[in-house]
Amino acid sequence: MAGHSQFKNIMHRKGKQDAKRGKLFTKLIREIMTAARQGLADPAHNPRLKAAITAAKTENMSKETIDRAIKRGAGNEDGVVYDEVRYEGYGPGGVAVIVEALTENRNRTASDVRSIFTKNSGSLGETNSVAFNFARKGLIGYPATAASPDAMFEAAVEAGAEDVASGPETHEIVTEPDALGGVRDALEVKFGAAAQAKLGWHTVNTIPVDEATARDLFSLIEALEDSDDVQAVHANYDVPEDIMQRLSAA
């Protein structure tokens, strides 16, 4: 599997995430509040908010909880403003890692992220130290059951997608940033709402890693994703599918 996909990782570790639903909901609510605060409270006119609501619904968050988060964000009811911050570094095997976070305390989050890298055989770098390994793209995710690979490929390309990768568990569609909304809406008509639709980092250069390195790398990624402030982790590894299956089953 080339490159870390947050959507693929969610699908692989769904059981673990179910056990941590409270923490996951906190992150989703934080994203909804930030999207509502930075744009309109109407998801029809706020693509980021629409994507955040879609992600929340995928995790079975109730409509009441979603609506309450939108109101809190739009009205700044709790007085908390979350800053968007990005960290870059290297994981085991020299794999490039980008961490995206939402935080009300930059110093705390920077310290936490640095500590996680250090404890998991990684090192935190400067801004733009690894970004050249990635491109900013629109990323759309569907479970494999949404459509056949051929049907998804045909529909995505017709809608203007740049690339489509289908696997045993997921379909991943890549678009240019300004085409994300159009492709998402076109696919929604045919296949329903996507499980993920957001701007993110798509790997350009990948690094092959063996099973031992992959195990250490995934420990780093999981520790980062377990942080309350971290919203997404991207890494440019390339792991053979048979190794991925063994690690996922462990």
Side-chain angles (χ1 to χ4, degrees):
M1 184 174 72
H4 171 67
S5 156
Q6 187 189 22
F7 180 58
K8 271 186 182 175
N9 206 39
I10 286 172
M11 299 298 285
H12 276 299
R13 298 194 354 256
K14 193 67 167 61
K16 290 184 180 180
Q17 290 214 333
D18 284 343
K20 300 177 180 178
R21 184 161 297 275
K23 179 168 288 191
L24 176 60
F25 272 26
T26 297
K27 295 187 180 194
L28 292 168
I29 288 170
R30 189 176 293 191
E31 172 63 15
I32 291 170
M33 289 174 59
T34 300
R37 181 170 290 137
Q38 293 184 352
L40 297 174
D42 181 359
H45 299 93
N46 184 336
R48 178 173 179 176
L49 179 58
K50 182 174 182 178
I53 292 172
T54 297
K57 288 181 177 178
T58 299
E59 297 299 332
N60 297 316
M61 184 180 290
S62 70
K63 183 178 185 300
E64 291 76 13
T65 301
I66 292 171
D67 290 344
R68 188 161 56 248
I70 293 172
K71 290 178 181 178
R72 287 172 62 194
N76 195 21
E77 291 181 9
D78 55 6
V80 177
V81 176
Y82 295 106
D83 293 327
E84 296 180 85
V85 291
R86 187 178 92 219
Y87 304 97
E88 300 181 26
Y90 289 96
V95 171
V97 181
I98 288 180
V99 180
E100 295 178 297
L102 285 174
T103 179
E104 81 285 8
N105 187 326
R106 286 173 174 260
N107 291 335
R108 180 198 67 222
T109 306
S111 176
D112 287 349
V113 170
R114 185 180 300 278
S115 176
I116 292 170
F117 268 93
T118 300
K119 290 178 180 178
N120 291 274
S121 304
S123 60
L124 195 61
E126 300 294 328
T127 300
N128 293 322
S129 59
V130 305
F132 63 89
N133 293 288
F134 304 84
R136 195 68 169 166
K137 297 288 185 180
L139 305 175
I140 302 171
Y142 276 92
T145 53
S148 70
D150 287 344
M152 183 61 71
F153 180 84
E154 183 177 344
V157 170
E158 183 179 339
E162 187 177 274
D163 191 20
V164 182
S166 295
E169 297 182 348
T170 65
H171 301 289
E172 293 192 303
I173 299 94
V174 180
T175 76
E176 287 298 329
D178 58 2
L180 173 60
V183 175
R184 177 201 61 211
D185 291 346
L187 294 179
E188 185 172 331
V189 171
K190 293 191 174 185
F191 308 119
Q196 170 184 286
K198 61 188 291 185
L199 289 175
W201 297 94
H202 183 63
T203 54
V204 175
N205 304 307
T206 58
I207 295 178
V209 295
D210 59 23
E211 186 164 349
T213 302
R215 194 179 301 277
D216 292 340
L217 177 63
F218 293 164
S219 293
L220 168 63
I221 291 173
E222 186 166 353
L224 287 167
E225 291 181 334
D226 199 41
S227 168
D228 290 339
D229 297 332
V230 172
Q231 294 293 102
V233 181
H234 311 271
N236 72 333
Y237 62 75
D238 188 358
V239 180
E241 192 61 37
D242 61 325
I243 292 179
M244 274 301 306
Q245 291 174 357
R246 285 200 296 272
L247 293 177
S248 297

